[in-house]
Amino acid sequence: MSYYNLEAEQSVLGSIIIQPDLIYESLLTEEEFFHNDHQKIFGAMVSLRDKEIGIDVVTLSNEMKDELNDVGGVSYLLQLSQSVPSVSDFATHERIVKDRYLMRTGMRTIQEILNSGVNDPKELAAELMDLSESLSDQSRSADGFKHISEGIMEHSDEIDRKKYEGQATGAGTVGKDLDEITGKWKKQTLNIVAARPSVGKTAFLLNNAVRNGKDGLTVAIFSLEMPDMQLYDRMIAAECNIDGHRVEKGELEDHEWEKYTLGLSELSQLDIYIDDRPGLSVQEIRSAVRKLKKKCPELIVFIDYLQLIKGGSKYSSKNRNEEVGFISSSLKQMARENDCPVVALAQLSRTVEQRQDKRPMMSDLRESGNIEQDADTITFLYRDDYYNAESEKKNIIEMIVSKNRNGRTGTAEMVNMKNYGKFVNYDRAHIM
């Protein structure tokens, strides 16, 4: 197949000269034309449209000025208007131009990937799959309108579901008050849970993963920091109410073996998948999630943690903020394209330690990039006894919801049973 179609490009331009209003329907951009002359002509048409000047041979000639001779002069513009078989085929010819552009883009991007020095076949496969998805999305009809009657019926179904199930849609957390504030982790959302090291981020993630598994969701966990055996230690300790240090050492007391066996049996029934490969790129994560989504429609994704994800070989260590921004926007896209919640842990910078009030703020997100912009919810975990040995809030975690795109903000409190790595409700919330 040819990477361009001369006749289709001519027909698109000629149709607009014959019927100027078609410029308002066109979904093409200047760069999507293969021929440089056609790019210039279409660019002049767009310029006239933006100036609200009618398009014809005279106005085009005046707009193009010196470039007119470069494209063949007035005679070529007249030739374009005479080469149109039928204006009614405008959309078909425009589609051909678009498809050829996507072919050229795909081939060029493949060559760039091959020339980028990627030497990991898994990263190469993920990059190519990402490209495939991108081209597929672009090749779909650009008319994304849905008639209100369709949306209203879907809304009615959703209201009925809430009425009979008695709860908001989305994946619930282990915090009853936290759910009340956030409205749960909804599909197609990126949810950031951030804290300083050793505050309890991973334990919170695992508690929620088990909760969602028990609710019937398929759970995907990407553990970039910790091997899967350590995750099993923590999940078993929390599920069985056994001291985590004894689980880790395998030194269970006699009365704990029965709890261990029962807990192990319950956990093994849950639909939880763990990928503990270190140094994963965001393309590899998206690829893995797409595959799992095909098998398991009701999915939630957890990532521990965001700043350990790589943006791919095109980023260097010198532009880490830009890379993290690319990663956060990619995770948001992943949530939307797979119709699932994505929950990513994030580290906070040391600036927290320099303030008298150690409660985290948005500016404390390390290498924040576009995290604040991309996230639908941002929840900070704060332990007062982490900083103040005399704190009255022993073993109390504050869940500070600082951003909630579709709901309220506020603070919920939970009890952190540190020996078990377990979060339990405290029934105290401050909702704004």
Side-chain angles (χ1 to χ4, degrees):
M1 184 174 102
S2 172
Y3 295 136
Y4 67 92
N5 187 304
L6 176 65
E7 292 77 16
E9 291 190 6
Q10 290 176 326
S11 180
V12 167
L13 297 174
S15 295
I16 294 173
I17 294 173
I18 295 172
Q19 191 172 317
D21 285 350
L22 288 173
I23 190 64
Y24 294 100
E25 298 178 18
S26 180
L27 302 172
L28 294 174
T29 60
E30 194 174 327
E31 66 175 1
E32 290 174 329
F33 289 85
F34 176 78
H35 287 275
N36 187 52
D37 293 351
H38 294 165
Q39 290 181 2
K40 292 177 180 178
I41 295 170
F42 189 78
M45 290 175 168
V46 170
S47 179
L48 289 172
R49 178 201 66 192
D50 294 344
K51 295 175 183 177
E52 298 186 356
I53 297 174
I55 298 172
D56 57 31
V57 172
V58 175
T59 56
L60 267 177
S61 302
N62 185 61
E63 183 69 23
M64 298 188 71
K65 297 182 175 66
D66 295 339
E67 285 188 329
L68 182 61
N69 290 330
D70 297 337
V71 304
V74 174
S75 60
Y76 188 63
L77 298 181
L78 291 170
Q79 179 184 332
L80 289 174
S81 63
Q82 295 166 2
S83 66
V84 180
S86 172
V87 174
S88 62
D89 293 327
F90 177 77
T92 301
H93 296 155
E94 191 176 49
R95 180 76 259 172
I96 294 172
V97 174
K98 179 78 169 182
D99 287 345
R100 295 299 192 272
Y101 165 74
L102 292 176
M103 284 292 296
R104 296 195 302 275
T105 299
M107 295 303 295
R108 183 171 62 251
T109 305
I110 288 172
Q111 194 59 52
E112 289 173 357
I113 292 171
L114 295 175
N115 292 338
S116 67
V118 175
N119 51 21
D120 184 341
K122 292 179 181 178
E123 183 179 344
L124 175 60
E127 292 266 15
L128 293 175
M129 185 167 290
D130 203 36
L131 170 63
S132 173
E133 289 288 328
S134 174
L135 292 177
S136 178
D137 289 343
Q138 292 181 66
S139 67
R140 296 185 188 128
S141 172
D143 185 0
F145 285 123
K146 176 193 291 185
H147 192 273
I148 190 173
S149 60
E150 297 177 58
I152 289 295
M153 290 305 297
E154 291 174 8
H155 189 273
S156 174
D157 292 342
E158 183 67 3
I159 287 292
D160 285 343
R161 197 206 65 75
K162 290 178 182 178
K163 175 182 176 182
Y164 291 112
E165 294 187 15
Q167 59 184 10
T169 56
T173 73
V174 288
K176 180 180 68 176
D177 290 335
L178 184 60
D179 281 350
E180 180 67 22
I181 296 172
T182 63
K184 302 188 178 182
W185 289 324
K186 294 181 172 60
K187 291 182 178 182
Q188 300 190 22
T189 61
L190 173 61
N191 306 276
I192 301 296
V193 177
R196 289 292 290 148
S198 302
V199 169
K201 296 190 301 297
T202 301
F204 182 68
L205 180 154
L206 295 175
N207 278 211
N208 283 292
V210 171
R211 154 72 194 271
N212 295 145
K214 288 181 177 180
D215 286 344
L217 297 178
T218 297
V219 178
I221 302 175
F222 292 91
S223 178
L224 286 81
E225 184 178 39
M226 198 176 293
D228 59 355
M229 279 299 164
Q230 292 184 24
L231 300 188
Y232 300 143
D233 284 344
R234 291 179 173 222
M235 284 191 283
I236 290 166
E239 180 68 14
C240 304
N241 291 329
I242 301 174
D243 188 283
H245 291 296
R246 289 207 296 277
V247 173
E248 184 181 353
K249 294 178 180 179
E251 298 174 351
L252 302 188
E253 297 181 3
D254 291 343
H255 71 279
E256 292 172 329
W257 281 108
E258 183 177 354
K259 291 197 294 183
Y260 171 79
T261 303
L262 289 173
L264 221 62
S265 175
E266 288 185 16
L267 286 173
S268 65
Q269 300 301 312
L270 304 181
D271 204 19
I272 297 177
Y273 295 82
I274 297 175
D275 188 335
D276 66 349
R277 290 175 292 167
L280 283 175
S281 69
V282 70
Q283 293 89 350
E284 290 174 308
I285 292 174
R286 289 179 71 175
S287 174
V289 170
R290 274 195 293 266
K291 291 177 183 176
L292 188 57
K293 173 70 177 181
K294 290 178 181 177
K295 296 189 298 181
C296 311
E298 294 300 317
L299 181 67
I300 182 170
V301 178
F302 292 93
I303 300 171
D304 185 10
Y305 59 90
L306 188 148
Q307 285 97 340
L308 290 179
I309 302 173
K310 294 181 178 178
S313 54
K314 61 183 175 181
Y315 288 98
S316 67
S317 58
K318 293 181 180 179
N319 56 357
R320 181 60 181 163
N321 283 343
E322 181 183 338
E323 183 176 9
V324 172
F326 167 73
I327 291 165
S328 69
S329 63
S330 296
L331 294 180
K332 173 64 176 177
Q333 291 172 23
M334 183 176 78
R336 294 203 61 184
E337 67 194 14
N338 292 287
D339 193 31
C340 70
V342 173
V343 182
L345 303 187
Q347 287 278 29
L348 296 178
S349 68
R350 290 189 180 90
T351 55
V352 174
E353 321 291 344
Q354 299 166 10
R355 295 195 303 268
Q356 184 172 357
D357 186 350
K358 313 295 186 186
R359 285 175 177 80
M361 302 184 299
M362 294 288 193
S363 58
D364 297 323
L365 282 167
R366 270 182 57 193
E367 299 163 332
S368 60
N370 296 327
I371 296 176
E372 183 179 345
Q373 174 183 321
D374 294 322
D376 293 280
T377 69
I378 297 178
T379 303
F380 295 113
L381 306 189
Y382 172 76
R383 269 177 43 204
D384 194 59
D385 62 359
Y386 179 84
Y387 297 102
N388 178 15
E390 304 302 319
S391 173
E392 297 179 356
K393 290 189 172 183
K394 296 292 185 183
N395 302 321
I396 300 298
I397 291 270
E398 294 182 24
M399 310 284 181
I400 305 168
V401 181
S402 293
K403 179 183 179 181
N404 188 1
R405 196 186 302 275
N406 297 307
R408 296 173 290 185
T409 58
T411 299
E413 294 182 340
M414 297 191 73
V415 178
N416 180 18
M417 302 172 70
K418 289 184 284 187
N419 286 355
Y420 304 147
K422 189 169 186 174
F423 287 72
V424 296
N425 288 304
Y426 188 44
D427 295 327
R428 289 181 63 183
H430 314 287
I431 301 172
M432 298 177 66

